[in-house]
Amino acid sequence: RIGILPTGIEEENFRVEEDAVTKFREQYQAQDMPLLITVSRMAQEKNVEFLLQSLALFKQRWRKPFRMLMIGDGPDREAYEQTAAELGLAEELCFTGKIPNQEIAPYFAAADAFLFASKTETQGIVILEAFAGKTPVVAVEASGVKDLVKSGFNGILTEESREQFAGELDSLLKNTSIRERMASYAGQSALAYREDTVALQAVHYYNSVIN
């Protein structure tokens, strides 16, 4: 018999004060516009180029201001910054570099959507952290990701199509009631991955083996 034990999400991810969210959005001048984020290694295997191209198409559809935080570092960061500028996204995108784990929770909680294009994930921990921040996820359907994101429930899964990705993001942000409902379900989804919940599951596994 095989049991799957996921990585637990730390309690701090569930405890972000509303004041911290407000200050965070003010910091990035996103009080009156959508705030989008991704957390990823800035490298080819994370499919960042696809995400940038999708955002360029989204900008054409959206036609209003928005902010997108590219959180993470890696060997291709400078190249992605140049690509973003070439795609006309210099004003909307902010490459923050790597954010320490103990400081990342407010980023998720403040975002209106978490975007993810990687096709090489095993556990998708950043998706769980987004859920803990009650943030719906728009992601390319891939292994690891599709085990967590239930399309239409706590997020949206797309094919690796820039047009579809941009269109789904546009629809999500234009329909506030659907986005808020997905945000609520994302928070509920995260509860199953709290550290204490996973620890109890580990105890259950150990006891079943002993017995």
Side-chain angles (χ1 to χ4, degrees):
R1 293 181 297 168
I2 297 174
I4 299 174
L5 194 65
T7 300
I9 302 301
E10 296 178 357
E11 191 65 27
E12 289 75 14
N13 290 88
F14 295 88
R15 297 184 194 164
V16 179
E17 298 294 333
E18 192 63 35
D19 287 349
V21 169
T22 301
K23 290 179 181 179
F24 184 85
R25 293 185 72 103
E26 289 175 352
Q27 176 185 343
Y28 288 97
Q29 300 178 336
Q31 303 97 310
D32 302 314
M33 64 182 72
L35 177 63
L36 313 172
I37 71 167
T38 191
V39 179
S40 170
R41 186 167 184 265
M42 295 295 146
Q44 184 177 356
E45 74 271 10
K46 296 299 182 180
N47 210 16
V48 178
E49 182 110 10
F50 168 86
L51 184 57
L52 295 175
Q53 293 171 353
S54 299
L55 284 167
L57 290 178
F58 164 73
K59 180 179 178 179
Q60 295 174 13
R61 288 172 172 263
W62 183 248
R63 297 180 180 274
K64 289 180 286 186
F66 69 94
R67 289 282 182 273
M68 173 69 189
L69 304 185
M70 307 289 293
I71 301 173
D73 214 337
D76 297 325
R77 176 180 167 180
E78 288 188 10
Y80 292 143
E81 290 177 342
Q82 181 176 343
T83 298
E86 292 170 353
L87 291 170
L89 294 169
E91 290 187 9
E92 290 81 13
L93 266 62
C94 176
F95 287 80
T96 68
K98 189 174 182 180
I99 304 296
N101 288 341
Q102 64 270 23
E103 299 175 13
I104 197 73
Y107 287 77
F108 290 108
D112 295 295
F114 178 78
L115 312 185
F116 204 59
S118 174
K119 300 183 294 179
T120 60
E121 298 307 299
T122 52
Q123 296 186 71
I125 294 175
V126 289
I127 290 175
L128 295 178
E129 291 174 335
F131 286 168
K134 297 182 179 179
T135 304
V137 173
V138 180
V140 173
E141 183 172 0
S143 62
V145 176
K146 64 183 179 182
D147 295 328
L148 302 173
V149 179
K150 308 305 177 188
S151 206
F153 179 70
N154 52 20
I156 299 171
L157 293 174
T158 78
E159 298 177 1
E160 194 178 8
S161 160
R162 293 170 293 176
E163 291 77 10
Q164 185 185 6
F165 196 98
E168 292 289 2
L169 177 59
D170 181 67
S171 297
L172 178 67
L173 295 179
K174 285 178 178 175
N175 196 320
T176 302
S177 61
I178 289 179
R179 198 202 67 78
E180 290 179 347
R181 187 189 70 207
M182 286 188 182
S184 176
Y185 288 146
Q188 293 178 32
S189 300
L191 295 177
Y193 298 91
R194 294 171 72 121
E195 277 188 330
D196 54 353
T197 302
V198 174
L200 287 174
Q201 185 64 50
V203 171
H204 169 74
Y205 285 158
Y206 282 122
N207 284 335
S208 66
V209 172
I210 293 170
N211 291 334

